[in-house]
Amino acid sequence: MAVRPRDLAARMAGRRKPSDGYLRETFRLPREQARQKARDFLARYPKGGYMSSVESWRELPGGEIEFTMRRLPSAD
């Protein structure tokens, strides 16, 4: 059976997790800029009101950091 790209895309789309209500932003920055961006994000969207956090991060070749920040869309 031949697998077409659109078949693979449709199958993968079916595996996506349902929306959990969080907004996510992914950044790719040098280490010091990544630290500052995360601090600015948490200052702008405090954990108490938005449940903000660093969801995941990894170090890339060359010293860049790729990280995903998540938060709720609005405070209660």
Side-chain angles (χ1 to χ4, degrees):
M1 178 174 122
V3 177
R4 297 177 297 184
R6 70 177 159 193
D7 296 334
L8 178 60
R11 192 172 73 222
M12 290 180 73
R15 292 182 183 176
R16 286 189 186 144
K17 295 179 184 176
S19 176
D20 60 1
Y22 283 98
L23 298 177
R24 290 171 173 82
E25 292 182 63
T26 301
F27 303 96
R28 184 183 220 174
L29 300 166
R31 184 181 303 269
E32 289 305 316
Q33 291 177 355
R35 285 181 180 158
Q36 188 59 46
K37 178 62 95 173
R39 286 183 188 124
D40 292 344
F41 187 95
L42 294 171
R44 185 173 182 186
Y45 305 107
K47 185 171 184 119
Y50 294 91
M51 296 181 60
S52 303
S53 67
V54 177
E55 184 172 68
S56 64
W57 68 276
R58 66 183 179 142
E59 186 173 0
L60 300 171
E64 282 191 325
I65 306 294
E66 182 178 83
F67 61 103
T68 301
M69 303 292 296
R70 76 174 191 182
R71 67 177 176 88
L72 290 174
S74 65
D76 290 359

